[in-house]
Amino acid sequence: MIEYRPLRIALLGAGSVGAQVARLLTENKAELAARVGAELELIGIAVRDLKADRPAGFPSELLTTDAEALILGADIVIEVMGGIEPAKTYILQALNSGSDVITANKALLATHGTELFDTAEQVGAQLYFEAAVAAAIPIIRPLRESLAGDKVQRVMGIVNGSTNYILDRMDTAGITLEEAMNEATELGYLEADPTLDVEGYDAAQKAAILAYLAFHTEVPIEKVHREGITGVTPELMRAAQRDGNVIKLLAIAERIDADKAGVEGVSVRVYPTLIPRTHPLGSVHGAFNAVFVEAESAGQLMFYGAGAGGAQTASAILGDLVSAAKRHVAGGPGLADSVHANLPVLPIDRIYTRYQITLEATDQPGVLASIANTFASHEVSIEFVEQTPTLGRKTANLEIGTHEATDASLSAVVAALAASDAVEKITSVIRVEGI
Ligand code: NDP
Ligand code: HSE
């Protein structure tokens, strides 16, 4: 039964996501009202260009360029404009005027989340952001609510669809990074600035948001260690295949115990890694996303689905909208996420990882021993070595896998090898996860 007054919804942005939010709000109006107990009335849609083409059936009569006036008249504001400004100003205005806000803006949350969350808490409003990480996949609410009574140890995700598409095509079709990037561009997977995807910025923003929720800790984006996929070569792909591995760009947020790093902390990092094909993340193909969570009592959990797309992202936004609207109907202030733990975010050099290094060495007596000695002198234990001769040259290709060691020790080994007379060239260095 609908007894509550209609709730006024302002939509900021009518692009790929916003147009789908408007469609779902219109098409599912009666069903949403029944679920919430109040009608959800879309009162306006703020855009830059009133004359731009919109999809068929789009409610163009609701378009406005006056976002501020729209916000003032709303109960709930949905921000799907993207970018930092004016999105940040608009969200602050909305919160300060008592509206709940729903946003998909990972870039804004990763850089100014603290200010936005603090404002929401001060005014008793709620900021929802399920769509900001992995779009359609419910991962924010599970971390925020379902796992709130557990202790999350690690969140490891493929949270950038375009780079997963690129790496997957390099793996399955044997094409180069450039060819795969061209395909991803044609399919519209890459951001307008592709470096956001291929250099790992987008994944780093999402990793910071996941770590904030998983570890109740503020994670400044500058403290997320970030490496992109531009160094991934077809040779590296083939070597991974030979060993039953696959290369994925992983966003990792991990609790680090005091006995490992001297202080309890968190590590948040993004880099291409080797993982076994048999790992649940190893079978995530195309532009799909997946997030693998390990929690003390729940054990291992896997969340999988579409990490982008207008309708898919709008699904997550509508879920947040129903929550926000129900809160309005029920009354009571918004609940802030706790950052009580505020663990230090540890630099990458203190984190224990594993490396796989391929190099070309001179093929002479004592070379292998001297290389092994380089590892030993930095207290890095070798797990395996595979040697293959190079054709027509007095060198050998060595593939060396390590046990866990600090990233500082591993990079010192790589630097020492690069400087060694025994090593002609370091062909590749890649971290290994999920073993
Ligand atoms: P688009 O670029 O397709 O759309 C942006 C919309 O915002 C446009 O309608 C644009 O107006 C409007 N807009 C931009 N700047 C202003 C401004 N200054 N004043 C008023 N309106 C403005 O973006 P998307 O829909 O792809 O993405 C929106 C958000 O969702 C971003 O934060 C993005 O990161 C996030 N997201 C997107 C996903 C996706 O698959 N697309 C997935 C997950 C998250 P106009 O139409 O007039 O140009
Ligand atoms: N550029 C992002 C991706 C879009 O490739 O996953 C979704 O956030």
Side-chain angles (χ1 to χ4, degrees):
M1 193 146 68
I2 297 171
E3 290 179 343
Y4 202 79
R5 68 172 172 82
L7 291 170
R8 295 157 301 182
I9 316 299
L11 181 58
L12 311 183
S16 312
V17 180
Q20 293 303 314
V21 171
R23 180 181 65 77
L24 291 174
L25 269 173
T26 312
E27 284 178 11
N28 301 338
K29 197 171 170 51
E31 176 65 25
L32 288 167
R35 285 182 198 175
V36 168
E39 286 203 0
L40 302 181
E41 188 193 344
L42 184 55
I43 57 166
I45 307 172
V47 291
R48 276 177 302 212
D49 180 1
L50 292 173
K51 297 202 171 96
D53 283 345
R54 307 288 166 193
F58 182 85
S60 295
E61 68 283 3
L62 294 177
L63 287 175
T64 174
T65 53
D66 192 350
E68 297 195 8
L70 182 59
I71 289 165
L72 281 177
D75 296 304
I76 299 171
V77 174
I78 302 172
E79 184 277 310
V80 280
M81 292 168 42
I84 304 300
E85 283 294 356
K88 180 181 161 213
T89 300
Y90 291 159
I91 290 179
L92 288 172
Q93 272 171 3
L95 293 171
N96 281 317
S97 67
S99 299
D100 283 346
V101 173
I102 297 158
T103 180
N105 196 331
K106 64 241 165 176
L108 179 59
L109 289 173
T111 47
H112 297 282
T114 305
E115 186 182 347
L116 301 179
F117 291 122
D118 286 352
T119 304
E121 189 174 8
Q122 280 156 21
V123 302
Q126 186 90 44
L127 183 58
Y128 298 83
F129 50 99
E130 183 63 71
V133 179
I137 304 175
I139 184 60
I140 300 300
R141 200 164 281 113
L143 287 175
R144 212 175 193 182
E145 295 173 14
S146 323
L147 291 166
D150 206 331
K151 188 172 181 186
V152 175
Q153 303 289 8
R154 191 144 83 134
V155 181
M156 191 157 82
I158 295 169
V159 292
N160 182 271
S162 47
T163 49
N164 199 55
Y165 176 85
I166 292 166
L167 294 174
D168 190 42
R169 289 291 293 155
M170 290 177 75
D171 179 44
T172 55
I175 59 178
T176 63
L177 181 93
E178 196 188 353
E179 287 165 337
M181 266 186 78
N182 288 340
E183 283 189 9
T185 307
E186 269 174 37
L187 290 164
Y189 288 164
L190 287 158
E191 302 272 343
D193 174 3
T195 56
L196 292 175
D197 295 310
V198 296
E199 296 295 356
Y201 291 98
D202 174 80
Q205 290 163 356
K206 293 166 179 169
I209 296 169
L210 292 174
Y212 159 78
L213 289 172
F215 306 122
H216 312 285
T217 289
E218 279 168 23
V219 179
I221 189 71
E222 318 78 68
K223 293 200 174 173
V224 179
H225 178 84
R226 177 192 52 77
E227 294 170 36
I229 63 163
T230 49
V232 178
T233 58
E235 294 72 39
L236 203 49
M237 278 286 167
R238 281 195 289 276
Q241 286 169 351
R242 277 197 302 275
D243 298 337
N245 293 324
V246 61
I247 299 173
K248 296 288 182 193
L249 182 72
L250 294 187
I252 302 168
E254 187 175 20
R255 187 188 295 276
I256 309 291
D257 293 333
D259 59 346
K260 275 215 154 176
V263 57
E264 188 185 12
V266 298
S267 161
V268 193
R269 49 197 204 265
V270 169
Y271 43 60
T273 70
L274 288 175
I275 55 168
R277 276 179 197 274
T278 49
H279 189 280
L281 292 174
S283 54
V284 177
H285 295 289
F288 280 92
N289 281 196
V291 184
F292 187 72
V293 179
E294 293 169 69
E296 198 172 70
S297 301
Q300 298 183 335
L301 306 165
M302 172 87 159
F303 301 82
Y304 170 86
Q312 293 84 344
T313 310
S315 159
I317 286 170
L318 266 284
D320 280 349
L321 179 58
V322 168
S323 297
K326 279 183 166 175
R327 197 181 78 72
H328 258 276
V329 172
L335 298 175
D337 292 304
S338 162
V339 286
H340 66 277
N342 242 347
L343 296 168
V345 183
L346 302 174
I348 185 79
D349 55 5
R350 289 172 70 179
I351 305 308
Y352 280 75
T353 56
R354 304 151 70 105
Y355 274 24
Q356 193 160 305
I357 301 160
T358 47
L359 55 85
E360 202 175 315
T362 47
D363 200 358
Q364 282 173 3
V367 161
L368 200 51
S370 96
I371 288 174
N373 205 28
T374 304
F375 282 79
S377 66
H378 290 91
E379 298 190 358
V380 175
S381 171
I382 293 175
E383 189 195 8
F384 70 86
V385 181
E386 263 176 46
Q387 178 169 334
T388 45
T390 49
L391 291 175
R393 302 174 61 185
K394 290 199 168 145
T395 57
N397 282 321
L398 292 178
E399 191 176 305
I400 305 169
T402 74
H403 287 291
E404 269 198 344
T406 62
D407 210 86
S409 301
L410 289 160
S411 48
V413 167
V414 174
L417 291 173
S420 157
D421 289 342
V423 175
E424 298 272 315
K425 73 166 179 174
I426 306 269
T427 316
S428 65
V429 178
I430 186 162
R431 294 186 185 82
V432 184
E433 297 280 353
I435 292 177

